[in-house]
Amino acid sequence: MYDYIKGTVTSKSALPKGFFVTVETFGIGYSLEVTSRDYSVLEVCNCETKIYTVLNHKEDKMSLCGFIKKENRDIFNVLTSVSGVGVKMALTLLDRFQASELIGLVIDGNYKELTLAKGVGPKLAQKIVLELKDKLINYQKDFSAPDFIERVREENSNLIDAQSVLLSLGYEKCEIKSAFAKVSSQLSDNASAEEILQASLKILSI
């Protein structure tokens, strides 16, 4: 029903039952449950933020979950398709593992590693592997060696700024793309333009 919401984060709440942010857009405040990873990144400010959403519908209530990364939202939907994996469990798994890690563990059948997530026992971990292995094989190529430009998304002005500087220095787009791909494992998705630039120049200067 809702693909994403663009607005400003007006409040944050770390509660015993989970992590929540309120995003206001066009005068409406949407309460979103998020992972602790996203909670730590999102800040209350006047900056517009894009958050991918999932509407959870139960008999007694409806709620929204939010994700900074589209791939995390997509993996969340895959996880909750498993009987016994609810909203809280899926968020817990995405807190413990990056989406690419989670996909790799399932495809490799490494259920023991999945039990490192709080509340995930061996039986549930085996069930996740059994039910999701075939579904996630189609994701493996995209997540196992992600292109840095795609992973960080075009909205990341830091990446665009770093690319602009490299272009002004005379590097070709293909060279820059290759450098970004090589430094992807060294940098977080929230790396500053300076961090991206410095890491990329080390690769390009070799």
Side-chain angles (χ1 to χ4, degrees):
M1 183 176 179
Y2 300 106
D3 185 27
Y4 61 84
I5 294 173
K6 267 189 177 182
T8 57
V9 177
T10 58
S11 66
K12 298 171 60 178
S13 301
L15 305 173
K17 63 180 180 179
F19 296 87
F20 299 85
V21 299
T22 296
V23 179
E24 182 179 338
T25 181
F26 296 109
I28 301 175
Y30 295 90
S31 178
L32 308 172
E33 184 170 6
V34 298
T35 64
S36 64
R37 289 174 186 264
D38 284 354
Y39 183 86
S40 64
V41 172
L42 292 167
E43 297 292 342
V44 177
C45 64
N46 293 323
C47 303
E48 187 175 66
T49 301
K50 183 177 184 179
I51 302 182
Y52 295 91
T53 58
V54 175
L55 177 65
N56 306 301
H57 192 187
K58 294 184 178 180
E59 292 182 1
D60 56 340
K61 70 173 184 178
M62 289 192 295
S63 63
L64 283 169
C65 285
F67 305 88
I68 294 175
K69 299 179 183 179
K70 183 177 183 295
E71 57 262 32
N72 284 346
R73 189 272 306 273
D74 295 342
I75 296 303
F76 173 88
N77 285 330
V78 174
L79 287 169
T80 53
S81 70
V82 178
S83 176
V85 179
V87 171
K88 298 292 185 183
M89 184 63 70
L91 290 174
T92 297
L93 283 162
L94 286 169
D95 257 337
R96 181 63 182 80
F97 305 104
Q98 297 282 357
S100 56
E101 290 180 289
L102 196 53
I103 292 170
L105 292 174
V106 171
I107 292 175
D108 292 341
N110 190 352
Y111 74 90
K112 291 183 178 179
E113 191 76 10
L114 292 177
T115 62
L116 295 177
K118 186 178 179 180
V120 179
K123 288 185 179 180
L124 181 57
Q126 289 177 10
K127 187 175 185 181
I128 291 172
V129 169
L130 181 64
E131 293 191 21
L132 297 186
K133 187 170 184 177
D134 290 340
K135 291 182 181 180
L136 293 182
I137 283 176
N138 294 327
Y139 286 85
Q140 187 179 34
K141 183 177 179 181
D142 292 332
F143 284 87
S144 60
D147 180 274
F148 193 46
I149 296 176
E150 294 299 326
R151 181 162 63 85
V152 183
R153 303 194 310 272
E154 292 179 358
E155 293 96 327
N156 190 321
S157 60
N158 293 333
L159 183 69
I160 296 172
D161 289 345
Q163 181 174 262
S164 296
V165 173
L166 291 171
L167 287 171
S168 70
L169 292 173
Y171 292 105
E172 300 292 333
K173 283 188 176 181
C174 60
E175 293 178 299
I176 297 171
K177 184 176 180 180
S178 177
F180 283 165
K182 290 178 181 178
V183 302
S184 63
S185 61
Q186 306 169 22
L187 302 172
S188 70
D189 291 352
N190 300 303
S192 67
E194 184 178 359
E195 290 173 328
I196 297 171
L197 185 59
Q198 289 179 346
S200 299
L201 283 171
K202 287 180 181 179
I203 297 296
L204 291 166
S205 62
I206 295 175

